[in-house]
Amino acid sequence: MVDGMVLRRTALRSVLLVLAAGLAGCAAASTSIAQGMAESSQRAESARLAAEGNPVFADPKLQAIVREFEADYARFGRDAAALEADAPTVCRLAPKEAYRLLKGTDYDEQQRAYAEHGLVSVTDLDAIEVRVVSGDCGPSGVEGPAEIVGRSRSVDRYGEGQQARVIVTDTVERIRATWRDGVRVGPTRHIAVIRNATFEAGSDGALEAQNHHWAFLNEIGEAPTASYSYLAMGPGYETEPLVVFTRNAELGLYGMNVTERRADGTGHMRAYNGKRLVSEGPTRNGRMHGWMTRHAFTVDGTTYPAERSCFQHGELVKSVTCPAD
């Protein structure tokens, strides 16, 4: 499935495309003018998308989810403090149990998966905190219907030496679900507000906070991203849709991903930014599988053509044939 980060990269690319267009043929002294034009264009596009609203669906189930999101976003927006405001009770769990409760997966299994893909991503287990909005949390976690809030920090490292880059991600999550034997079942609502801080190797090789000469890029880098997920899990819910909304106003990111699922594990994913259909394609077992089409789009009067990419079980591959069965 194409997630919000794909749309976020697409939105950032649009900023850079506008900047590149403004810089083409300009002397160095005109850089600030080009940057101002690019920033103005990006802010105008973001305002347009905010006013445009979400896609409208004939399917009453999907349209009900859109309405639920709009009410939730009006309440919480991208405000991490608002997510935590009504959660006074600490859920005292061992760090790895708290991780499993929040992330829905085992910490050690997740680390092995990262290692298999050559990734270095570590969660500060001692910094994880879980609080209860409603329901009960015992020594082994949550059982039955509950709403919880959690805070976590992860550190991702890329490259070595002068190419080294570290991204510190702080996440506040609010989850409303029913847990059975530690597993979420049935309708689940998940909201996350995410902030990233990027550190790069300085002239002496030591890591230092990333700082752009263009203030607008710093504003983008510091802006929170909100993700709102609406889904249902477990037996009897195999054909329920998975819908994810992503918001980052500074990036002009007003994304909505819809994955409509079938009982055999296949489905179809559509990604929107505002009301525009960005991309779509088939899925299998929750992963992109088959030809994924990115539709044509226009930035400042320049139209970029549609293109297709082949995915097999979630992996991008180069192929002239791309089976979806």
Side-chain angles (χ1 to χ4, degrees), residues 98-104 128 130 148 150-151 173 175 184:
Y99 181 92
R100 183 169 180 262
L101 181 62
L102 282 180
K103 309 300 182 182
I128 290 182
V130 177
I148 61 172
R151 178 180 288 271
E173 301 168 80
I175 305 167
R184 298 174 202 169

Side-chain angles (χ1 to χ4, degrees), residues 50 57 70 79 85 120 137 159 166 186 195 237 242 252 276 315 317 322:
F57 297 94
E70 290 171 346
D79 187 350
V120 178
C137 179
V166 170
R195 284 186 180 272
Y237 295 96
L242 165 62
R276 179 175 73 85
E315 299 290 336
V317 299
C322 194

Side-chain angles (χ1 to χ4, degrees), residues 199-276:
F199 298 84
E200 299 176 318
S203 57
D204 61 355
L207 289 172
E208 54 188 42
Q210 185 183 63
N211 185 41
H212 299 284
H213 294 298
W214 185 12
F216 184 48
L217 288 182
N218 290 323
E219 181 182 343
I220 287 174
E222 295 167 2
T225 297
S227 173
Y228 287 66
S229 300
Y230 301 80
L231 66 156
M233 309 170 71
Y237 295 96
E238 294 86 353
T239 61
E240 290 296 302
L242 165 62
V243 183
V244 181
F245 299 84
T246 313
R247 292 292 183 269
N248 184 313
E250 289 74 13
L251 271 176
L253 178 53
Y254 292 83
M256 178 183 183
N257 283 11
V258 178
T259 302
E260 295 182 87
R261 304 187 295 172
R262 307 182 188 98
D264 64 359
T266 65
H268 188 81
M269 186 283 304
R270 287 171 285 160
Y272 299 83
N273 198 31
K275 291 184 176 179
R276 179 175 73 85

Side-chain angles (χ1 to χ4, degrees), residues 7-249:
L7 286 173
R8 179 172 174 146
R9 288 194 296 269
T10 301
L12 180 56
R13 181 172 59 184
S14 72
V15 176
L16 299 178
L17 285 170
V18 171
L19 175 60
L23 290 175
C26 294
S30 301
T31 298
S32 61
I33 296 175
Q35 288 176 343
M37 292 172 61
E39 179 179 343
S40 177
S41 176
Q42 177 66 13
R43 291 191 189 281
E45 175 65 3
S46 180
R48 185 191 70 78
L49 289 166
E52 181 178 277
N54 296 296
V56 177
F57 297 94
D59 182 337
K61 186 176 293 185
L62 290 179
Q63 193 58 27
I65 291 175
V66 171
R67 296 290 175 252
E68 185 178 355
F69 161 72
E70 290 171 346
D72 288 341
Y73 193 73
R75 179 182 178 189
F76 298 113
R78 294 187 291 159
D79 187 350
L83 290 183
E84 299 178 294
D86 56 349
T89 306
V90 176
C91 182
R92 303 192 182 282
L93 297 172
K96 288 185 179 180
E97 287 300 318
Y99 181 92
R100 183 169 180 262
L101 181 62
L102 282 180
K103 309 300 182 182
T105 188
D106 179 80
Y107 179 78
D108 294 323
E109 288 181 4
Q110 186 67 74
Q111 288 300 302
R112 286 193 288 271
Y114 285 142
E116 288 174 4
H117 289 83
L119 301 175
V120 178
S121 180
V122 178
T123 295
D124 182 355
L125 292 174
D126 292 332
I128 290 182
E129 182 181 74
V130 177
R131 292 179 176 269
V132 179
V133 178
S134 64
D136 297 314
C137 179
S140 58
V142 173
E143 188 71 14
E147 189 164 2
I148 61 172
V149 173
R151 178 180 288 271
S152 61
R153 167 173 287 181
S154 64
V155 180
D156 299 86
R157 185 181 182 92
Y158 306 89
E160 299 292 340
Q162 288 297 321
Q163 302 301 314
R165 175 175 294 185
V166 170
I167 298 178
V168 178
T169 302
D170 288 301
T171 304
V172 175
E173 301 168 80
R174 187 179 180 109
I175 305 167
R176 184 170 76 250
T178 297
W179 280 263
R180 190 172 299 149
D181 297 325
V183 177
R184 298 174 202 169
V185 295
T188 298
R189 301 297 184 253
H190 179 275
I191 304 172
V193 174
I194 304 158
R195 284 186 180 272
N196 292 321
T198 301
F199 298 84
E200 299 176 318
S203 57
D204 61 355
L207 289 172
E208 54 188 42
Q210 185 183 63
N211 185 41
H212 299 284
H213 294 298
W214 185 12
F216 184 48
L217 288 182
N218 290 323
E219 181 182 343
I220 287 174
E222 295 167 2
T225 297
S227 173
Y228 287 66
S229 300
Y230 301 80
L231 66 156
M233 309 170 71
Y237 295 96
E238 294 86 353
T239 61
E240 290 296 302
L242 165 62
V243 183
V244 181
F245 299 84
T246 313
R247 292 292 183 269
N248 184 313

